[in-house]
Amino acid sequence: MSQSHTSNPSRGGWKRHVTTTSALMLLVSAGPALAASGFTAVTASGDDGNKPSATIDGNLTTRWSSDGVGQWLRGDLGSVKSLSAVDIAWHRGNERTNTFVLATSTDGSTWSTAVSAKSSGTTANFERYSFSARDARYVRVTVNGNSLNTWASIAEWAAIFTDATPPAGTDRFGVTMLYPSKPGGEAWTLADNALADGRFDAQNPITRNSDGSWKMKDSQVRMSVFTSTGYDERKIPTYDRDVLASRGYMQAANDWKNIEMTGFVKLNSVSDTSDNFDWYARGGKHNDDHSGCEGSSYKAGLHYDGRARWQKETWHVSYEQVPYKPATSALKGRWVGFKSVMRNITVNGQIAVKLEMYVNENADKVTWKKVYDYTDAGRWGGDAQHCGGAVGGMPITWGGPIAVFRWDSAKDVDFKWLSVREIQP
């Protein structure tokens, strides 16, 4: 894990910035090497000492390499699954193009070509190669040289599975709910009179627009939403990460944990188009008190230029980040819906956190497009010891009393139809 200091990794003051290399895209239950890759095992036609297992170690600085046209790497998904894409991070992928064939198999003997293509040659991060959904247990990439030589070299790869569409209902605004609410669970929606809502703290002045939406004119926004219990620092007895993980919450059993956060925003004025909206939860206040250990969160970031990525704030201020993915076109001047979903799942017998991000590009309340899917299975980052964790990369599996709608570098934003719901994980 490499570490560096920067003045502003997330646009909100000085940050201790941890650059992550476990940047894998999707995921569901998988095996012991790196659950996020989707592969339980990998083999190869050969290697030069850089083993095939390096492609699922969550580290973009390691690689599998083998010389010669036709070298292949094969991954086992553990069982037959519905597969729709493969992400590959090519070693020195920003310096050369790779000619390759992706094939799949249900039995390891009969193979069907899914993709025959060349890499872009413009990035060493993940590139996604999509195809029509198909059943597969095994995935094989055969590399037929690159634009400089005959070496096959892959840093990381990941299987992208076909997601079942979650059952849908609608909230009180008529916005589609992607996951069902937990019966008797926590729920909050933006009140008609938001100024009188004791569970909503905009922290800066807001005004009502003629169309019923609200306007925020501040360049640093942190709008907090509390559970029905409210927030009381005195009721948080410990910030020890192992204790929080064991009991499942920070302040109370009804803390925001498995949730779907929704907001519609219209960006009217912006000073830095690389900045972003962040919908985040699983912690309390983000400040330097208690060594920053109250400030844990998963942050879904939708950037003003249309990119998206997840950040993991193990404590305030220690960040891990996955690579950017294209989500939509530039946001300025139009309404767009944005959802952040975080929910606990089980991966290889252990609790992990599935993180999903969706956009509603035409703001029709209905047409939601998934733009990011990532699973934190305990190999993302490595800084939880700062707050008593035994395992540095442990996922943030506990709830927190505050969910936050955040943005920076935008002095005029309209917003509406905000909600936070506890969902069935």
Side-chain angles (χ1 to χ4, degrees), residues 23-181:
L24 297 178
M25 301 276 123
L26 156 102
L27 320 279
V28 299
S29 300
L34 179 64
S37 75
F39 296 115
T40 61
V42 287
T43 56
S45 54
D47 64 73
D48 66 345
N50 291 294
K51 301 296 185 181
S53 58
T55 62
I56 58 169
D57 66 359
N59 190 340
L60 288 172
T61 66
T62 62
R63 69 183 189 275
W64 162 72
S65 291
S66 189
D67 190 20
V69 172
Q71 298 299 305
W72 52 261
L73 180 70
R74 189 175 86 165
D76 183 354
L77 300 175
S79 61
V80 174
K81 303 181 189 305
S82 181
L83 189 71
S84 59
V86 173
D87 285 352
I88 299 178
W90 299 93
H91 175 61
R92 294 177 60 191
N94 58 330
E95 301 176 21
R96 57 195 184 188
T97 60
N98 292 269
T99 302
F100 68 97
V101 176
L102 276 172
T104 63
S105 174
T106 57
D107 58 9
S109 299
T110 304
W111 294 87
S112 175
T113 297
V115 174
S116 180
K118 290 186 178 181
S119 64
S120 71
T122 62
T123 181
N125 286 320
F126 283 96
E127 294 188 333
R128 178 162 295 185
Y129 305 105
S130 301
F131 41 85
S132 298
R134 58 176 63 195
D135 288 340
R137 174 171 176 173
Y138 302 96
V139 183
R140 184 179 66 198
V141 54
T142 302
V143 186
N144 296 311
N146 62 66
S147 54
L148 297 180
N149 51 50
T150 58
W151 280 91
S153 295
I154 292 174
E156 292 287 327
W157 69 331
I160 308 302
F161 303 119
T162 306
D163 281 336
T165 302
T170 58
D171 65 17
R172 77 177 189 91
F173 304 117
V175 176
T176 296
M177 302 186 299
L178 301 181
Y179 286 91
S181 297

Side-chain angles (χ1 to χ4, degrees), residues 143-352:
V143 186
N144 296 311
N146 62 66
S147 54
L148 297 180
N149 51 50
T150 58
W151 280 91
S153 295
I154 292 174
E156 292 287 327
W157 69 331
I160 308 302
F161 303 119
T162 306
D163 281 336
T165 302
T170 58
D171 65 17
R172 77 177 189 91
F173 304 117
V175 176
T176 296
M177 302 186 299
L178 301 181
Y179 286 91
S181 297
K182 179 181 177 180
E186 286 290 317
W188 171 90
T189 57
L190 184 65
D192 291 333
N193 185 3
L195 299 175
D197 185 353
R199 295 179 58 186
F200 177 62
D201 182 7
Q203 300 190 32
N204 296 298
I206 58 174
T207 56
R208 196 72 180 263
N209 294 322
S210 60
D211 65 356
S213 64
W214 293 85
K215 183 176 289 292
M216 172 70 79
K217 301 191 76 171
D218 196 280
S219 60
Q220 189 176 73
V221 175
R222 310 288 186 271
M223 300 195 302
S224 298
V225 177
F226 310 109
T227 65
S228 58
T229 302
Y231 168 76
D232 188 344
E233 177 189 350
R234 297 168 297 178
K235 294 181 179 179
I236 303 176
T238 181
Y239 297 101
D240 184 282
R241 293 311 189 231
D242 291 337
V243 175
L244 296 182
S246 175
R247 70 181 190 176
Y249 61 88
M250 180 176 285
Q251 178 182 303
N254 64 330
D255 280 355
W256 297 122
K257 182 168 63 177
N258 299 307
I259 62 169
E260 181 176 320
M261 290 183 70
T262 305
F264 284 73
V265 287
K266 183 182 178 187
L267 181 66
N268 300 312
S269 176
V270 57
S271 59
D272 183 355
T273 57
S274 68
D275 221 321
N276 61 289
F277 295 104
D278 267 326
W279 297 173
Y280 65 88
R282 297 212 171 184
K285 288 191 174 180
H286 288 239
N287 54 39
D288 294 332
D289 295 348
H290 313 290
S291 300
C293 292
E294 191 174 313
S296 55
S297 67
Y298 286 113
K299 293 183 173 178
L302 179 62
H303 287 249
Y304 306 146
D305 58 12
R307 296 174 299 159
R309 72 173 176 185
W310 278 96
Q311 294 187 104
K312 176 184 182 180
E313 190 174 12
T314 303
W315 53 274
H316 184 77
V317 280
S318 175
Y319 279 91
E320 310 289 344
Q321 296 151 339
V322 290
Y324 288 110
K325 298 290 291 185
T328 185
S329 57
L331 305 184
K332 187 177 179 182
R334 65 186 178 103
W335 282 102
V336 62
F338 176 33
K339 282 183 182 285
S340 164
V341 177
M342 56 192 77
R343 55 192 179 92
N344 287 357
I345 62 172
T346 301
V347 171
N348 196 34
Q350 302 295 319
I351 298 177

